[in-house]
Amino acid sequence: MPGAPRDVPAVPVVPPARSSRVSPGEELRTRALPGVTLTVRSRPPARAGLPPALYVHGLGGSSQNWSALMERLAGTVDGEALDLPGFGDAPPPEDGDYSVTGQARVVIRHLDASGRGPVHLVGNSLGGAVATRVAAVRPDLVRTLTLVSPALPELRPQRTAVPTALLALPGVASLFARMTRDWTPERRTREVLALCYGDPSRVTPEGFAAAVAEYERRLELPYFWDAMARSARGVVDAYTLGGQHSLWRQAERVLAPTLLVYGVRDQLVSIRMARRASKAFRDARLLTLLEAGHVAMMEDPDAVARAFRDLLADTATTSERSAPPRG
């Protein structure tokens, strides 16, 4: 992977004062690696011996984004969800590197250190770009790849995605923070849900209250806006890379069977990209959800879980057919 600039962190590297919500049956633990501290959310598998899975969230998200899907897949895989550096309960990286390449290095470092690979790797949005890069450069770590609205380069992004991309510009994040300092956590949460969900009314009152509490917690973090701005810059920078480091070129190198999930109502990643992605990944399956937006694993976790199980079943069948005869 190409080298990334080593920025000096703009804020002290300190853990959050308050932890995020842990759903019943989940565990949250800290994992210290050289130069970075991660938090790992997990749910004990339904039985021993299940294959490992790793979930990677998107820009502004956290491991909580995978709770609903992890619960539904507890009988299928032994799942873990990461808080990438600077998000969820994980403090910023010591080198200030929020690039897609830097985040991919973190995922690879975690998998190498844990010895859980190869895993069924699942990513959403920014996490989808990170997962694509991991699968391309370390195929030994990835059994299958599932991408929910992956942030792969678009020549003409939707107008609704432009404000998020503008966070990458110097000073825009701090300007937005000042302009919205009088917004209540409820309003901030509604704005995020309206952008990410195909139908925000599907969020339950309990889910909305939990999202508000999490937003309040994150706003207390001194590095919140810095992490958002640098991560957005990392996505934009990844879009401009050409040659062998292009995300589309790396998608073509992925060997793992791949499930692509797109929401027709996605305001951040255009449904138009589904066809291109289906052609780029050599062994791809496509799930299109008519009512979903950018976070299908939260909006319709049952549909995503069914497609994921089908992917694993197809992969197992293919492996059995290609296995040499015994005896």
Side-chain angles (χ1 to χ4, degrees):
M1 289 183 290
R6 293 295 186 262
D7 298 330
V8 177
V11 295
V13 179
V14 293
R18 288 194 291 145
S19 296
S20 60
R21 183 173 66 97
V22 180
S23 299
E26 291 184 346
E27 300 173 355
L28 194 66
R29 68 183 188 277
T30 299
R31 184 175 186 85
L33 298 171
V36 67
T37 298
L38 302 175
T39 46
V40 182
R41 185 180 301 265
S42 61
R43 174 178 287 275
R47 62 183 185 278
L50 291 179
L54 184 67
Y55 305 89
V56 186
H57 65 78
L59 177 66
S62 76
S63 59
Q64 288 188 73
N65 296 161
W66 300 105
S67 291
L69 186 61
M70 279 205 301
E71 181 180 5
R72 285 158 176 78
L73 292 177
T76 304
V77 292
D78 180 0
E80 290 184 344
L82 291 182
D83 280 331
L84 291 173
F87 294 96
D89 289 277
E94 292 181 9
D95 60 5
D97 186 358
Y98 287 95
S99 67
V100 171
T101 295
Q103 302 284 29
R105 285 198 188 102
V106 168
V107 172
I108 290 171
R109 202 177 306 164
H110 168 71
L111 289 173
D112 280 338
S114 67
R116 282 170 54 84
V119 300
H120 296 289
L121 187 59
V122 186
N124 168 236
S125 192
L126 163 63
V130 170
T132 297
R133 187 147 289 174
V134 171
V137 303
R138 289 292 305 273
D140 59 303
L141 293 177
V142 182
R143 291 189 183 187
T144 66
L145 183 64
T146 298
L147 305 176
V148 182
S149 296
L152 300 175
E154 297 185 49
L155 292 178
R156 292 183 297 172
Q158 300 179 97
R159 285 180 296 175
T160 47
V162 171
T164 302
L166 289 176
L167 287 175
L169 297 177
V172 171
S174 58
L175 174 62
F176 182 76
R178 291 195 300 271
M179 291 176 59
T180 61
R181 62 178 176 269
D182 295 329
W183 287 16
T184 64
E186 288 78 10
R187 179 178 176 181
R188 293 179 188 276
T189 302
R190 289 191 187 94
E191 294 286 342
V192 171
L193 294 179
L195 181 64
C196 293
Y197 274 65
D199 181 6
S201 67
R202 298 175 69 178
V203 179
T204 64
E206 295 79 12
F208 181 77
V212 170
E214 176 63 10
Y215 213 138
E216 285 184 300
R217 187 190 71 84
R218 293 192 192 187
L219 287 173
E220 295 176 357
L221 301 174
Y223 50 81
F224 174 80
W225 288 111
D226 183 69
M228 288 289 291
R230 291 183 184 226
S231 296
R233 197 172 306 143
V235 173
V236 172
D237 289 346
Y239 277 28
T240 63
L241 287 176
Q244 63 178 332
H245 301 306
S246 160
L247 282 169
W248 284 115
R249 183 70 61 84
Q250 292 195 322
E252 295 170 354
R253 292 168 52 191
V254 171
L255 301 176
T258 302
L259 169 63
L260 301 166
V261 182
Y262 284 84
V264 172
R265 296 186 177 185
D266 195 330
Q267 299 182 65
L268 294 171
V269 172
S270 173
I271 186 63
R272 299 191 309 267
M273 306 310 295
R275 176 176 293 184
R276 181 174 181 181
S278 296
K279 293 180 178 179
F281 291 91
R282 64 181 68 189
D283 185 3
R285 300 145 181 81
L286 175 63
L287 171 64
T288 302
L289 297 174
L290 298 179
E291 302 299 321
H294 191 60
V295 287
M297 71 286 187
M298 301 171 71
E299 300 173 79
D300 196 347
D302 291 319
V304 177
R306 284 194 299 270
F308 180 85
R309 293 192 197 96
D310 289 344
L311 169 68
L312 269 59
D314 290 347
T315 302
T317 301
T318 302
S319 298
E320 290 173 1
R321 289 174 179 172
S322 60
R326 298 181 180 180

